[in-house]
Amino acid sequence: MKKLAPLLFFAGSILLYSFLVPKAGIVKSVFGQLPDGREVNLFTLRNAKGMEVAITNYGGYLVSLTAPDKQGKAENVLLGLGTLADYLKGNPNLGPIIGRYGNRIAQGKFTLDGTDYKLFTNQAGIHIHGGRVGFDKKLWTATPIDGAEPALKLQYTSPDGEESYPGTLNVEVTYTLQKDNALRIDYKATTDKATVVNLTNHAYFNLSGMKTDVMNNVVQLKADKYLPTDRTQIPTGEIKPVAGTPFDFTRPIPISAHINDTTDTQIRYGRGYDHCWVFTDQSTKLKLGATVYEPTSGRLMEVYTTEPGVQLYTANHLNGLVKSPQGIPYTRRFALCLETQHFPDSPNHPNFPTTTLRPGATYLSSTVYKFKVR
């Protein structure tokens, strides 16, 4: 019996360890039903460190994401809603897949290969975030991928002419919760006819764990230029240096430093920050594009992307009418978005990187949101 004791102790320790240490995996649950009766699911991905991200196959919404603070306390850092019914009521794009075209297209018009296209205009005479029924309002086919780095692959086929875009577009978006507390998003698309594509995710981050707004967040953007806009926030076509402007985040500075500088025309147009920054590194490799540090919690978010730009939006239009599942009002500047993407209105600006996708080619884009503490 004495010889068995160490073995029993070892076995018991292994059993206890298996209960105490989180396991990577995926949990699928019912999130609700669409008006036509189709079931919508919620997929909760968990890594071995205990980090979790919840995603619904309706619109590919990021519903929640937990990240530890400097004390090791995990809290949700994403603005989300509690039920499918809440999302169906309409919301300010709290974390969905945006497509076919993220951001804005002037007057909903563009010309491709000599053909004029007119899209639905859903904001002050412009086309924004895919139109009336964009990818954020579609039920995607979901495939959970279990493993040490759990993933969720979402697939949707956008038919030729949907929202007046040309071509049948086959889209895959894969969310992967990595071992190092990073959420990776990979986008892939093919088409049978020349079209324009600009996919992104519209996640709103609050690294304080919903305790304060983002005014004390310290932001750095690896971008030495930005795109000025007109009053409707359509790029003028200029690509201007950030040096000497409120748009200079080449070194870490708090959001509050210049966001209320109403002497700046661009700040007035956006009611704060709602502009596209142009990365200094224009390669398609996965590179560090932005960092956000929340000093009270100690959370640091790094954003890596293959994209040429990022739209920093400081939730200037949130008004408190939409609330968290815990009843916290989502008020102005309560969060920030870092939407990695090609430039707004690119189809109408030949000097911008092209967003045209042709048959035989594959649209590929990747973005990683990595969470640390300091």
Side-chain angles (χ1 to χ4, degrees):
M1 189 67 183
K2 288 183 179 179
K3 292 182 180 180
L4 285 175
L7 187 60
L8 291 171
F9 175 79
F10 178 74
S13 298
I14 293 294
L15 185 62
L16 180 62
Y17 181 84
S18 68
F19 279 111
L20 293 178
V21 176
K23 290 183 178 179
I26 304 173
V27 175
K28 176 183 176 181
S29 58
V30 176
F31 197 50
Q33 275 193 342
L34 294 175
D36 61 10
R38 287 179 295 167
E39 183 177 279
V40 175
N41 297 120
L42 187 71
F43 298 85
T44 303
L45 283 56
R46 182 185 180 95
N47 70 9
K49 292 184 177 180
M51 184 175 182
E52 292 186 351
V53 58
I55 307 159
T56 176
N57 61 329
Y58 173 75
Y61 279 89
L62 293 170
V63 175
S64 64
L65 186 151
T66 63
D69 65 9
K70 60 187 175 184
Q71 306 300 329
K73 182 181 179 182
E75 293 176 303
N76 176 41
V77 296
L78 276 181
L79 272 60
L81 303 175
T83 68
L84 175 64
D86 292 326
Y87 285 99
L88 293 177
K89 289 175 187 174
N91 67 90
N93 292 303
L94 297 177
I97 298 167
I98 299 295
R100 288 188 190 189
Y101 201 95
N103 219 310
R104 298 163 173 86
I105 295 179
Q107 300 177 58
K109 296 178 180 179
F110 67 94
T111 301
L112 181 60
D113 295 340
T115 300
D116 295 333
Y117 294 94
K118 180 67 174 75
L119 311 174
F120 179 75
T121 52
N122 52 331
Q123 185 186 89
I126 63 174
H127 177 88
I128 186 169
H129 294 336
R132 179 168 28 195
V133 187
F135 289 177
D136 59 307
K137 298 178 180 66
K138 303 297 183 181
L139 185 63
W140 294 63
T141 299
T143 304
I145 305 169
D146 217 338
E149 294 191 325
L152 181 69
K153 182 167 71 174
L154 298 178
Q155 296 170 290
Y156 175 69
T157 297
S158 177
D160 183 22
E162 183 171 69
E163 290 294 322
S164 299
Y165 285 98
T168 298
L169 191 74
N170 293 299
V171 187
E172 291 183 5
V173 179
T174 302
Y175 295 99
T176 303
L177 187 56
Q178 298 181 324
K179 297 176 184 178
D180 58 353
N181 280 1
L183 176 65
R184 179 176 177 128
I185 310 176
D186 293 299
Y187 306 87
K188 180 180 179 181
T190 57
T191 184
D192 63 357
K193 185 189 298 184
T195 191
V196 295
V197 185
N198 190 24
L199 304 177
T200 190
N201 186 283
H202 207 290
Y204 285 75
F205 294 98
N206 181 310
L207 299 185
S208 75
M210 308 299 152
K211 296 180 178 64
T212 64
D213 62 26
V214 296
M215 293 293 277
N216 72 338
N217 284 200
V218 178
V219 173
Q220 183 174 18
L221 302 177
K222 303 290 186 177
D224 57 2
K225 296 180 178 67
Y226 80 107
L227 303 182
T229 73
D230 63 18
R231 291 180 181 275
T232 64
Q233 295 183 270
I234 293 292
T236 62
E238 301 168 283
I239 302 176
K240 283 194 170 182
V242 299
T245 76
F247 295 82
D248 190 351
F249 285 92
T250 53
R251 58 182 178 82
I253 61 170
I255 285 286
S256 60
H258 302 294
I259 195 171
N260 291 319
D261 182 4
T262 54
T263 63
D264 185 273
T265 302
Q266 292 298 311
I267 292 289
R268 291 203 306 273
Y269 285 170
R271 296 184 62 198
Y273 294 115
D274 189 5
H275 294 75
C276 185
W277 272 256
V278 179
F279 291 129
T280 306
D281 182 351
Q282 284 289 288
S283 72
T284 57
K285 69 181 181 181
L286 193 68
K287 70 268 184 181
L288 179 64
T291 62
V292 182
Y293 175 62
E294 204 288 312
T296 303
S297 68
R299 291 188 180 95
L300 173 70
M301 182 175 72
E302 297 174 338
V303 183
Y304 298 81
T305 187
T306 59
E307 289 296 294
V310 63
Q311 186 89 2
L312 169 62
Y313 173 54
T314 46
N316 308 313
H317 298 283
L318 293 186
N319 56 16
L321 296 180
V322 177
K323 299 180 181 179
S324 76
Q326 295 74 35
I328 300 169
Y330 293 152
T331 52
R332 189 172 187 232
R333 298 178 180 164
F334 192 67
L336 60 81
C337 304
L338 287 165
E339 306 157 59
T340 54
Q341 58 188 242
H342 270 56
F343 304 162
D345 202 34
S346 286
N348 295 309
H349 297 281
N351 60 317
F352 289 178
T354 184
T355 53
T356 299
L357 179 66
R358 298 187 180 279
T362 302
Y363 171 98
L364 295 171
S365 175
S366 298
T367 293
V368 177
Y369 297 98
K370 186 174 183 178
F371 297 86
K372 298 179 175 180
V373 294
R374 75 176 186 207

